Amino acid sequence: MKKSIMALSAALLIGGAASAQKVVFEEYTMDNGLHVVLQNDPSAPVVITSVMYHVGSKNENPERTGFAHFFEHLLFEGTENIKRGEWFKIVTGNGGTNNANTSDDRTYYYEVFPSNNLELGLWMEAERMLHPIINQIGVDTQNEVVKEEKRLRFDNSPYGQIIPEVKKNIFKNHPYRWTTIGSMDHLDAATLEEFQAFNKKFYMPNNAVLVVAGDFKTDEAKQWIQKYFGKIEKGPAIERQTFVEEPITQTIKATFEDPNIQIPMVVAAYRTPSMKSRDARVLDFISTILSDGKSSRLYKNIVDDKKMALQIGAINNSQEDYGMYILYGLPQAPFTSEQILSEVDAEIVKLQTELIPAKELQKLQNKYENQYVNSNASIEGIASNLATFYMLYKDINLINTEIDIYRSITPEEIRTVAKKYLNPNQRLVLDYLPKTEKATK
């Protein structure tokens, strides 16, 4: 699911640099194109089976948005051998948990079972891939589920339209311009045949990576993987379009009125490079400098010292093709959104003109070391990271080496990247306002 605009990375800073054991894994590709990653860790008697498909909202027809997220729900409806409504019962009845999530770039399913149920997990994911039941009753049922989710997360949630408004204003050509949840009108208009065609195009072994992590016997796992996934036919090659956005060279100004809020918010959003780039990691550092915790620069200056804002934040949302760097603030009366933005800009100018102190850089590196350790502290985290680095970064060993990129970032790079991307003429300024009642005659 998408990150909330308010959700900032909350990592505990510990004394000294954290250390992590190297993640050892084995990978191979089956004849049908399914890539398999095995990560053996017998430290706890649990195992995860996960499948990531390289399909997200950016792969949708602009007239049929929301399909990828819809399939996140729809592919739990049942298969030829798992009756409708039985999926979750089977998982919980065998001591397991499961879930799924969708982004603009990919869809991810997983089950966590006691280690003696690995075969069950593999069979279920193979069933989902091989012959899911996609019929009208399932489509109609999940249509109502998705509509309720949209109402809860977007339509009726305070500040719930920030991401949709940012996306549609800073992306003009790229499919990132619409939200993952998509349009309910598009889903209503879609035919059953369109859903079935979407499944046959994207939910194929050659568009997926299977990760097994935890306590299992490697030879046994390989036999089961071949048994259940080997019979699934390879799908047609997927032709992927490349969408290029022209640089933003003049401030984009937009306004949105939200009936669910009473306090306005000012949002400044910048289009940034792919998460695969080094600059994206430097922008991670910059967002941490600006707003991660009460000692961060924006919070200390604008919220704590000057008491100009109730809340302030910076988020670097990196994705496969482009990213969004979002700054936001809730002004505290009598201060205005314009004054908040002016203060934020002053802090950015400092980053663009002054090198951060060595002590602050060390604090950043310690924080990211700790985040890195925590991200690989569970089989769920390891499986997700392995799938993501293979599928989206095209470098699976980043699970072991990405931390070296963060360790090598210099104060000079932070200054250079701030200058390169975070300028007033390169952004959207969104005035996010309470909805006003129109006067009636």
Side-chain angles (χ1 to χ4, degrees):
M1 303 299 172
K2 297 295 291 182
K3 296 177 183 176
S4 165
I5 187 68
M6 298 298 186
L8 294 175
S9 174
L12 177 64
L13 180 63
I14 58 174
S19 61
Q21 200 168 14
K22 181 180 180 181
V23 177
V24 179
F25 57 88
E26 177 184 351
E27 58 177 327
Y28 62 95
T29 301
M30 299 178 68
D31 291 342
N32 58 13
L34 178 65
H35 196 74
V36 179
V37 184
L38 305 176
Q39 196 276 326
N40 206 308
D41 179 2
S43 60
V46 292
V47 66
I48 184 170
T49 53
S50 70
V51 176
M52 181 175 286
Y53 294 92
H54 200 179
V55 56
S57 57
K58 74 177 182 186
N59 302 108
E60 297 161 350
N61 178 340
E63 301 301 318
R64 290 292 183 266
T65 63
F67 265 45
H69 171 259
F70 194 84
F71 266 80
E72 175 196 321
H73 293 264
L74 189 61
L75 293 186
F76 282 103
E77 275 288 309
T79 74
E80 289 185 10
N81 294 304
I82 300 175
K83 293 181 180 179
R84 185 169 182 268
E86 291 296 310
W87 187 284
F88 296 100
K89 293 179 182 177
I90 292 172
V91 172
T92 57
N94 286 275
T97 60
N98 69 156
N99 212 330
N101 52 69
T102 310
S103 77
D104 291 7
D105 299 313
R106 92 296 179 273
T107 304
Y108 185 61
Y109 300 92
Y110 67 90
E111 296 80 31
V112 182
F113 280 115
S115 55
N116 61 347
N117 276 326
L118 170 60
E119 185 178 10
L120 175 62
L122 291 170
W123 173 74
M124 293 184 77
E125 283 302 335
E127 278 287 302
R128 194 198 312 265
M129 186 183 294
L130 178 59
H131 39 215
I133 298 296
I134 300 175
N135 57 22
Q136 198 61 52
I137 187 171
V139 167
D140 292 343
T141 300
Q142 295 308 323
N143 202 336
E144 291 305 312
V145 172
V146 171
K147 284 179 179 177
E148 181 58 29
E149 182 180 346
K150 184 175 183 293
R151 285 190 286 265
L152 180 66
R153 292 177 51 218
F154 292 91
D155 300 342
N156 300 326
S157 175
Y159 307 99
Q161 297 298 323
I162 290 174
I163 293 297
E165 289 299 308
V166 168
K167 286 165 72 74
K168 80 176 187 181
N169 278 288
I170 68 171
F171 294 108
K172 301 303 180 184
N173 299 318
H174 199 286
Y176 286 165
R177 66 185 183 271
W178 59 77
T179 59
T180 306
I181 204 162
S183 164
M184 300 304 100
D185 290 341
H186 291 176
L187 294 177
D188 286 343
T191 65
L192 179 61
E193 289 74 22
E194 286 178 294
F195 287 111
Q196 292 169 337
F198 194 81
N199 178 73
K200 288 180 181 179
K201 181 176 182 179
F202 291 109
Y203 299 85
M204 295 291 123
N206 48 306
N207 195 41
V209 56
L210 165 69
V211 179
V212 179
D215 182 24
F216 61 90
K217 296 177 181 177
T218 300
D219 290 344
E220 193 173 54
K222 287 181 177 180
Q223 291 173 9
W224 287 331
I225 290 168
Q226 184 60 40
K227 175 181 178 181
Y228 295 115
F229 289 92
K231 59 187 175 184
I232 305 175
E233 293 185 5
K234 186 176 186 177
I238 298 171
E239 294 183 10
R240 298 184 185 273
Q241 290 181 265
T242 299
F243 298 90
V244 178
E245 292 283 349
E246 293 298 320
I248 299 171
T249 58
Q250 187 174 349
T251 303
I252 303 167
K253 294 186 178 180
T255 301
F256 182 82
E257 292 187 353
D258 187 339
N260 302 305
I261 67 170
Q262 295 179 317
I263 300 172
M265 176 182 281
V266 62
V267 179
Y270 309 76
R271 195 191 310 132
T272 52
S274 164
M275 62 189 185
K276 292 177 279 190
S277 67
R278 184 177 177 89
D279 284 358
R281 276 86 169 196
V282 179
L283 285 163
D284 286 340
F285 263 23
I286 292 173
S287 66
T288 302
I289 293 167
L290 289 176
S291 75
D292 191 3
K294 292 187 176 181
S295 64
S296 63
R297 293 188 180 193
L298 290 181
Y299 190 93
K300 183 76 170 59
N301 178 34
I302 301 173
V303 177
D304 201 5
D305 292 348
K306 296 182 179 177
K307 296 183 170 42
M308 295 176 66
L310 297 168
Q311 190 169 10
I312 202 83
I315 298 172
N316 184 37
N317 181 25
S318 297
Q319 296 177 279
E320 188 176 18
D321 298 337
Y322 289 99
M324 299 183 297
Y325 193 91
I326 300 174
L327 295 153
Y328 65 91
L330 293 172
Q332 179 164 272
F335 297 101
T336 65
S337 293
E338 291 77 10
Q339 290 172 308
I340 297 295
L341 188 56
S342 178
E343 290 290 328
V344 169
D345 284 344
E347 291 296 335
I348 291 175
V349 168
K350 288 180 184 178
L351 287 175
Q352 293 173 330
T353 56
E354 303 172 9
L355 297 179
I356 69 166
K359 184 177 180 180
E360 192 169 9
L361 179 64
Q362 185 62 58
K363 180 180 176 182
L364 277 170
Q365 291 173 340
N366 288 349
K367 189 180 291 284
Y368 278 77
E369 289 266 3
N370 192 61
Q371 288 178 355
Y372 168 71
V373 171
N374 287 339
S375 72
N376 290 327
S378 67
I379 61 166
E380 292 96 327
I382 288 173
S384 177
N385 287 337
L386 286 167
T388 299
F389 286 130
Y390 170 78
M391 182 69 76
L392 303 184
Y393 289 80
K394 310 305 181 189
D395 183 359
I396 193 170
N397 199 47
L398 279 170
I399 196 167
N400 291 310
T401 63
E402 188 182 40
I403 188 60
D404 295 330
I405 300 175
Y406 287 107
R407 287 172 180 151
S408 67
I409 292 172
T410 66
E412 288 79 10
E413 278 186 285
I414 292 170
R415 182 177 63 186
T416 298
V417 168
K419 282 182 182 179
K420 186 175 181 180
Y421 298 105
L422 305 182
N423 298 300
N425 68 317
Q426 295 172 292
R427 71 186 178 191
L428 160 72
V429 175
L430 171 66
D431 282 318
Y432 197 92
L433 306 172
K435 188 173 181 62
T436 56
E437 295 293 334
K438 294 183 179 179
T440 56
K441 295 183 179 179

